[in-house]
Amino acid sequence: MLRRRLDVPLDRDGSVRFVPWVIALMVYLAAVMLATGIVVSGAVSRWDRSLAGTLTVELPPVKAGVADGMDKVVALLRATPGIEKVEPLAAEQTSALLRPWLGAEFSAADLALPRLIDVHIDPDAPPDTKALAEELATMAPGATLDDHHLWLDGLIRIARTIEIVTAVIILLIGGAAVLTIIFATRTGLAIHHGVIQVLHLIGARDGYIAAQFQWQALMLALRGGLVGIGLAALTLFAIGHAAEATRLQGSEGGLLPSVQLALPGWIALALLPLLAGLIALITARITVLRALARMP
Amino acid sequence: MVRFENVGMRYGSGPEILRDISMSLAPGSFHFLTGPSGAGKSSLLKLMYLAERPSRGLVNLFGKDIATLPRQELPPLRRRIGVVFQDFRLIDHLSAVDNVSLPLRVAGLPEEEIRSHVTELLRWVGLADHLNARPATLSGGQQQRVAIARAVISRPSLLVADEPTGNVDEDMGFRLLRLFDELNRLGTTMVVATHNERLVARFNHPRLHLENGELRLERGALGGTA
Ligand SMILES: Nc1ncnc2c1ncn2[C@@H]1O[C@H](COP(=O)(O)OP(=O)(O)OP(=O)(O)O)[C@@H](O)[C@H]1O
Ligand SMILES: [Mg+2]
């Protein structure tokens, strides 16, 4: 089918020679955008998953002579439905958390550190955190409940914005690809008007004539798309490599999202040239059919 | 076969080139179409091979009113009409064989069948040595013969030839008209526009004479009518 002899030789007249290059550029940009979107939404869902199942209860530092509310609070938490595990952090664990910032020499005893309780909740039936916070505050003044949402919500909002922006850019690139193919097809139609008219008059169906254009458009876009995706893959490998090196250097780098794409991500990228080909095929077909519909 | 009723035609908003043309060509008939240059012979033929639509009146081909025919029924109709264009309209990048093959290919015939049919016909019109030549490398007369071969290859029911012998000598012209005569004997309805009075005189076919936008039917050179 793709090797069929063509009555309309678009590739010989130079009118479409720019198409593969434009498509290559578009697929390249779309691939980089898509990869960005995938990495960002991957990071969000990872944060979401690791934090959604936990709460942190923070009790004010122990003051000399004041009753320690710790036991009562732990008992209350354990009795609350929806809470699966309650784990008070020992002073030593709390200071371990701070060590990267404060250095190895400090000891928890030097500072009035708040005491922390890790709470694991059932994500399917979470407790009412608002009511719980109020209850805690009356039981142990100064106690706070942190469900991480303030922090996470901000990040998620930024990430969602990035996702939307990348999606819009990809759509715009797709629109530009459609316009490119329309323009190239119209040029081809104008250059080959005589041939098309002869085919039309000897009884070629519109689909036969459109096929001449659509398969060539498919091949041109595929060719460009493969070049574009190849360059994008190189770029993404380079970025991934550099980011991985940075992560390994920093000890607290766990918070940085991984910029490595997983297999589904690569598959989505690999579909871009095919998508470009499909868009080109359909666009060229519709453009030709619409032009032919104006012939007597 | 071909029936025109009060057909008028103009290009865009230009003057009316054909006025009130009414005629009826019987199946299997052979007509010459004559008239001064610019009289509208090519325009009349364009209406017959469906390259143009009339600005008024009725065009009926093979018993079908063209104006009311759905679009998808036009290609099969066009395949029953062979056309020799005044300016040949050969496709530059295709060889003689491929040009002549087009109507069969468009109709979806198998390749092997196409090839043998086409070579045979090209031999018959004296182009055995130019089967794979591009139109640009052929003389005007050779191109005209390729154009004629393309028009007759699919054994059309109606053959419309616009000045088909304009570029060949008297002998070749006569030979080509004999080919048309042969096709006509086999049932093809023929309409041949020409300026060549001598060729017209050698055949006993009626003529349609077009002048000042009006059509007049004249009897054949020897008094025959069809
Ligand atoms: N595509 C067109 N657009 C506008 N006017 C046209 C077009 N084709 C032909 N005409 C005009 O229509 C008139 C008839 O032209 P046509 O080609 O039918 O004449 P003809 O009888 O075939 O002439 P010839 O014997 O020289 O081939 C001419 O005045 C010509 O200028
Ligand atoms: Mg003419």
Side-chain angles (χ1 to χ4, degrees):
Chain A
M1 170 182 70
L2 296 177
R3 286 188 60 232
R4 55 183 286 174
R5 192 194 45 80
L6 291 161
D7 305 330
V8 187
L10 294 175
D11 50 349
R12 283 198 224 155
D13 55 39
S15 64
V16 296
R17 209 164 288 157
F18 71 98
V19 170
W21 295 108
V22 177
I23 297 290
L25 180 65
M26 287 172 175
V27 167
Y28 176 82
L29 294 175
V32 172
M33 282 297 124
L34 184 60
T36 308
I38 290 174
V39 164
V40 167
S41 67
V44 168
S45 69
R46 224 170 305 119
W47 292 329
D48 217 5
R49 226 179 308 118
S50 59
L51 294 178
T54 66
L55 301 174
T56 306
V57 174
E58 190 179 316
L59 296 177
V62 193
K63 282 189 210 129
V66 177
D68 186 350
M70 182 72 139
D71 294 342
K72 277 198 301 185
V73 169
V74 169
L76 168 71
L77 289 172
R78 290 208 163 116
T80 307
I83 287 183
E84 290 182 332
K85 202 163 114 204
V86 179
E87 210 175 342
L89 263 62
E92 179 48 34
Q93 284 170 294
T94 311
S95 44
L97 284 175
L98 293 172
R99 198 156 294 140
W101 281 277
L102 299 179
E105 278 81 38
F106 100 106
S107 113
D110 300 344
L111 289 166
L113 286 178
R115 283 140 319 140
L116 303 176
I117 307 170
D118 254 354
V119 179
H120 290 246
I121 59 175
D122 179 357
D124 299 325
D128 178 355
T129 45
K130 221 168 135 200
L132 188 60
E134 279 165 18
E135 224 172 319
L136 283 173
T138 43
M139 180 178 284
T144 57
L145 180 72
D146 180 8
D147 62 0
H148 313 292
H149 268 112
L150 214 56
W151 179 73
L152 200 59
D153 283 354
L155 273 182
I156 288 178
R157 217 171 304 121
I158 294 169
R160 291 274 174 263
T161 310
I162 295 176
E163 278 175 12
I164 291 168
V165 168
T166 53
V168 168
I169 291 176
I170 290 171
L171 283 180
L172 288 176
I173 292 172
V178 167
L179 291 178
T180 305
I181 297 295
I182 289 178
F183 180 71
T185 306
R186 291 228 177 115
T187 309
L189 281 170
I191 291 178
H192 299 287
H193 181 76
V195 178
I196 288 158
Q197 204 178 20
V198 168
L199 289 173
H200 181 67
L201 290 177
I202 64 177
R205 288 196 178 277
D206 292 352
Y208 178 96
I209 298 172
Q212 308 271 328
F213 285 82
Q214 77 201 24
W215 297 121
Q216 291 183 80
L218 171 71
M219 292 315 288
L220 290 170
L222 277 183
R223 219 188 303 155
L226 288 176
V227 171
I229 203 70
L231 293 176
L234 286 180
T235 307
L236 294 175
F237 272 129
I239 293 175
H241 195 75
E244 212 54 26
T246 321
R247 265 157 64 88
L248 293 180
Q249 272 172 16
S251 54
E252 75 288 352
L255 205 57
L256 274 179
S258 163
V259 295
Q260 302 286 20
L261 277 181
L263 187 61
W266 284 114
I267 292 175
L269 289 188
L271 289 177
L272 280 179
L274 298 181
L275 186 67
L278 196 67
I279 290 176
L281 188 152
I282 293 171
T283 307
R285 183 175 177 83
I286 292 173
T287 310
V288 175
L289 290 181
R290 288 176 59 141
L292 287 173
R294 286 194 289 271
M295 284 191 174
Chain B
M1 177 63 56
V2 179
R3 196 159 58 87
F4 280 36
E5 273 175 32
N6 307 315
V7 167
M9 184 199 170
R10 59 174 85 236
Y11 289 100
S13 54
E16 200 160 53
I17 287 153
L18 302 173
R19 282 194 302 272
D20 269 330
I21 306 278
S22 293
M23 63 172 180
S24 178
L25 308 182
S29 61
F30 191 133
H31 288 85
F32 285 114
L33 176 61
T34 58
S37 180
K41 300 183 294 297
S42 297
S43 306
L44 182 67
L45 296 184
K46 282 181 197 165
L47 293 174
M48 277 189 215
Y49 60 76
L50 305 176
E52 297 285 349
R53 294 294 178 95
S55 21
R56 60 190 174 87
L58 179 122
V59 173
N60 189 300
L61 290 180
F62 308 109
K64 287 175 178 139
D65 176 9
I66 296 311
T68 60
L69 214 59
R71 192 178 165 76
Q72 68 269 20
E73 284 185 34
L74 287 173
L77 209 65
R78 287 194 166 103
R79 288 178 203 164
R80 298 177 63 189
I81 307 171
V83 189
V84 182
F85 301 97
Q86 187 165 15
D87 50 359
F88 315 147
R89 307 255 193 118
L90 297 176
I91 296 178
D92 292 337
H93 66 274
L94 296 181
S95 67
V97 167
D98 281 332
N99 264 290
V100 177
S101 303
L102 270 183
L104 302 181
R105 224 166 244 149
V106 157
L109 251 70
E111 279 302 311
E112 321 80 69
E113 217 171 301
I114 293 178
R115 185 83 195 181
S116 66
H117 270 56
V118 169
T119 8
E120 194 187 335
L121 180 60
L122 280 172
R123 282 216 175 85
W124 203 91
V125 296
L127 291 172
D129 296 336
H130 299 91
L131 295 180
N132 294 309
R134 297 288 165 91
T137 67
L138 295 173
S139 76
Q142 289 167 331
Q143 290 181 37
Q144 189 147 45
R145 281 178 273 159
V146 175
I148 290 172
R150 185 178 66 188
V152 303
I153 188 70
S154 56
R155 288 277 196 87
S157 318
L158 170 66
L159 196 132
V160 177
D162 198 349
E163 217 50 74
T165 58
N167 290 271
V168 295
D169 62 32
E170 199 72 18
D171 270 359
M172 181 49 84
F174 187 63
R175 203 175 135 90
L176 291 173
L177 277 179
R178 287 252 316 280
L179 167 65
F180 291 161
D181 229 16
E182 194 60 40
L183 279 166
N184 178 235
R185 246 188 283 282
L186 292 170
T188 299
T189 308
M190 296 284 319
V191 181
V192 180
T194 183
H195 284 123
N196 192 330
E197 288 294 338
R198 260 183 315 191
L199 269 181
V200 173
R202 289 175 77 165
F203 292 84
N204 181 29
H205 296 307
R207 89 162 74 184
L208 300 160
H209 188 79
L210 191 61
E211 202 158 350
N212 301 322
E214 279 158 19
L215 194 70
R216 197 169 68 233
L217 179 68
E218 295 173 4
R219 317 187 111 207
L222 305 173
T225 45

